[in-house]
Amino acid sequence: MRGPRRRLPALPALLWLALAPLPGAPGPAARAELRVRVRLPGGQVTEESLQADSGSDCISLELRTADGALVTLTADFRQEVKIFRALILGELERGQSQFQALCFITRLHRNEIIPSESMAKLRQKNPRTVRQAEEVRGLEHLSMDVAVNFSKGAQLSSHIHNVCAEAKEAIYTREEDVKFWLEKGVDGSMFEVLPQTSDLPDLQRCKLCADRWKPCICSYSLSIEWYPCMLKYCKSRDAGGKVSSYKCGIRSCQKGYTFDYYVPQKQLCLWDEET
């Protein structure tokens, strides 16, 4: 399933913000798309797509990983929702379909990623540059103990309908995030608590389960290799000597995630044998 890895030399990177000089005034809704070349662990280079829509206040990032999976991150700032989708190549010789889709939904916290308005104003120099993140943020290990009903998901975020369409039966979130959304008035009927080891004492992790048709706890890991996580500010001095700050660039980050979740049979988690 893993293809050969191609190595390319690293080049200096520069990504800068072109911001209209309208301090304190909201600009018109803007949409933008960037394609950035990023280096994966092991040296392989892939292209990452970044899209921003300040009108709907959301951004999305998409990249193909070294093992061929297509990973998408959608950040819905308006609803404070973060959606991870993974399209994983199936192992046809082991009875799997052509690909398997997963969606993991978590709360979006402030300052995790730059605002959609700023992302929409990013402009790129040297598009052939291979970029590496300036900051590596710690691995986040998340227990996804709640299933989300796809048909009702639009109440949580309108983006779920499009992003998770291939993963209708495999959309997961966390109970602690559900509590936050319920306090905001989201309908609780879209959530269903999944079986846990406390409910099923013989429930094992899939990597330890010998029977391919038994339920188990699956783990899936992904990494967003490069994303604009913070704005940079520069200072200027006017003719009268007054100092002011303005947005002049971005700081890039890399962050990995591991999701644990219940599957009704190990057949849906064959990659966990390789970890």
Side-chain angles (χ1 to χ4, degrees):
M1 192 167 79
R2 299 178 186 273
R5 297 185 173 183
R6 186 163 59 97
R7 297 177 181 272
L8 293 176
L11 298 172
L14 175 63
L15 196 74
W16 50 276
L17 283 171
L19 296 171
L22 296 173
R31 300 183 67 176
E33 179 175 356
L34 288 174
R35 294 191 177 275
V36 178
R37 302 178 76 215
V38 299
R39 189 176 302 280
L40 299 174
Q44 184 177 347
V45 173
T46 190
E47 188 175 76
E48 184 175 302
S49 170
L50 297 89
Q51 297 181 338
D53 185 342
S54 63
S56 61
D57 202 10
C58 76
I59 66 165
S60 68
L61 300 88
E62 185 170 87
L63 77 157
R64 192 170 296 278
T65 64
D67 62 3
L70 188 65
V71 170
T72 304
L73 165 62
T74 301
D76 182 345
F77 293 91
R78 190 169 293 165
Q79 296 299 113
E80 297 179 86
V81 168
K82 197 166 49 180
I83 307 168
F84 298 91
R85 184 193 66 185
L87 299 180
I88 306 160
L89 294 177
E91 298 184 51
L92 302 181
E93 69 280 5
R94 302 180 71 181
Q96 290 188 319
S97 57
Q98 187 174 2
F99 70 88
Q100 187 173 341
L102 302 171
C103 263
F104 303 106
I105 303 176
T106 64
R107 177 184 174 184
L108 176 64
H109 294 273
R110 291 184 179 274
N111 302 321
E112 283 190 68
I113 195 164
I114 69 171
S116 61
E117 183 181 358
S118 296
M119 179 81 88
K121 294 174 181 176
L122 285 176
R123 299 295 180 265
Q124 186 178 192
K125 287 184 176 179
N126 306 321
R128 301 300 298 170
T129 294
V130 179
R131 306 183 189 282
Q132 288 184 288
E134 299 168 80
E135 177 185 337
V136 177
R137 294 190 166 178
L139 174 69
E140 197 167 349
H141 201 136
L142 305 171
S143 178
M144 311 302 283
D145 47 10
V146 176
V148 180
N149 186 308
F150 173 77
S151 63
K152 299 180 179 180
Q155 301 175 48
L156 181 59
S157 170
S158 60
H159 302 285
I160 292 174
H161 181 76
N162 292 326
V163 177
C164 300
E166 297 94 346
K168 293 180 181 179
E169 303 301 322
I171 307 175
Y172 307 97
T173 188
R174 300 188 299 169
E175 193 168 0
E176 62 186 85
D177 292 329
V178 169
K179 290 177 181 177
F180 169 76
W181 292 320
L182 291 178
E183 291 175 358
K184 292 185 64 180
V186 170
D187 181 8
S189 67
M190 77 175 71
F191 304 112
E192 179 185 354
V193 177
L194 292 167
Q196 302 299 311
T197 51
S198 57
D199 307 313
L200 301 172
D202 61 343
L203 190 64
Q204 295 179 296
R205 290 193 169 273
C206 292
K207 68 169 68 176
L208 303 175
C209 183
D211 188 341
R212 197 184 295 182
W213 307 106
K214 286 188 65 175
C216 52
I217 299 297
C218 184
S219 289
Y220 185 74
S221 296
L222 59 84
S223 178
I224 305 300
E225 295 300 329
W226 190 98
Y227 67 98
C229 53
M230 288 187 290
L231 292 172
K232 290 181 179 178
Y233 290 84
C234 297
K235 292 184 178 181
S236 64
R237 190 184 302 272
D238 61 19
K242 183 179 178 181
V243 177
S244 61
S245 62
Y246 62 96
K247 301 169 188 174
C248 59
I250 57 107
R251 182 172 180 81
S252 59
C253 291
Q254 177 271 334
K255 186 169 178 61
Y257 301 84
T258 294
F259 302 96
D260 292 343
Y261 60 100
Y262 170 88
V263 289
Q265 57 191 41
K266 181 180 178 177
Q267 178 73 5
L268 298 172
C269 186
L270 294 183
W271 59 81
D272 214 2
E273 297 177 349
E274 303 172 6
T275 58

